[in-house]
Amino acid sequence: AQSVTQPDIHITVSEGASLELRCNYSYGATPYLFWYVQSPGQGLQLLLKYFSGDTLVQGIKGFEAEFKRSQSSFNLRKPSVHWSDAAEYFCAVAHKGGGKLIFGQGTELSVKP
Amino acid sequence: NAGVMQNPRHLVRRRGQEARLRCSPMKGHSHVYWYRQLPEEGLKFMVYLQKENIIDESGMPKERFSAEFPKEGPSILRIQQVVRGDSAAYFCASSPRPPGSALNTEAFFGQGTRLTVV
């Protein structure tokens, strides 16, 4: 069965520090992968997505993610975190051709001044 | 082009009442998905609909829950005889095609409806 694991429930980083959020997936074929961000009380905003091609994908707000097939990972990175990045981050995989997204449990990011 | 619109944003129901959650997809989108987010958890898929058809309801509870997406009007998620465990945020997403069916197809999410059962 398809699944997505985000090993870190909560991460705290200092403003200006680099960030890496981990995501591992289980999927039988080439996955379509997504990272979403959710601010408190809000909906989900797409940060970036991977369908094929270059394994390093750039997203909005200075985020990037790298698809590593050998490690079944799609980790999200940002070189310098801003206080406004504090939010919950969700990794998801699309069931190819099936429509639904399988989400990880989420990682809550806190940013220290 | 307005985004995915969900209403109400907040809904309070007493145990045993019915809850009706509405979702208007983005213009031109004929695929709608409902997800539920329980407190401190990620989003769980509930149901996937196209106009007048339920495509995948594998995530829907067997009883009390139903969904529709009529030819005209919004998609409706209906919960009958609500219980405290139904308290959650319910998100709707829409896409012009199923996510993953073609390059650069993604789902756009609404702000959600936060249901509280008292």
Side-chain angles (χ1 to χ4, degrees), chain A residues 3-47:
Chain A
S3 65
V4 177
T5 301
Q6 294 179 246
D8 305 305
I9 295 174
H10 190 194
I11 283 182
T12 300
V13 299
S14 298
E15 190 167 17
S18 63
L19 170 71
E20 183 169 27
L21 303 182
R22 296 183 290 166
C23 172
N24 293 97
Y25 65 89
S26 171
Y27 190 72
T30 300
Y32 291 168
L33 295 158
F34 305 82
W35 274 100
Y36 285 88
V37 60
Q38 183 183 32
S39 298
Q42 300 298 311
L44 278 75
Q45 181 182 24
L46 181 69
L47 285 175

Side-chain angles (χ1 to χ4, degrees), chain B residues 10-76:
Chain B
H10 300 273
L11 182 62
V12 179
R13 284 287 177 265
R14 297 187 183 279
R15 280 180 295 170
Q17 291 184 319
E18 178 180 287
R20 292 171 71 88
L21 288 63
R22 296 175 193 77
C23 169
S24 296
M26 289 180 68
K27 187 176 180 181
H29 289 192
S30 59
H31 299 259
V32 165
Y33 316 83
W34 286 93
Y35 293 83
R36 177 165 64 175
Q37 184 179 32
L38 294 168
E40 309 299 324
E41 294 188 16
L43 282 80
K44 303 293 185 188
F45 168 78
M46 299 182 75
V47 63
Y48 162 31
L49 310 104
Q50 281 183 268
K51 285 285 188 180
E52 301 184 275
N53 289 302
I54 296 175
I55 306 301
D56 180 354
E57 57 181 348
S58 58
M60 286 281 268
K62 299 300 181 190
E63 298 177 347
R64 301 187 297 108
F65 285 71
S66 62
E68 62 177 9
F69 188 17
K71 187 176 181 181
E72 301 292 337
S75 176
I76 306 288

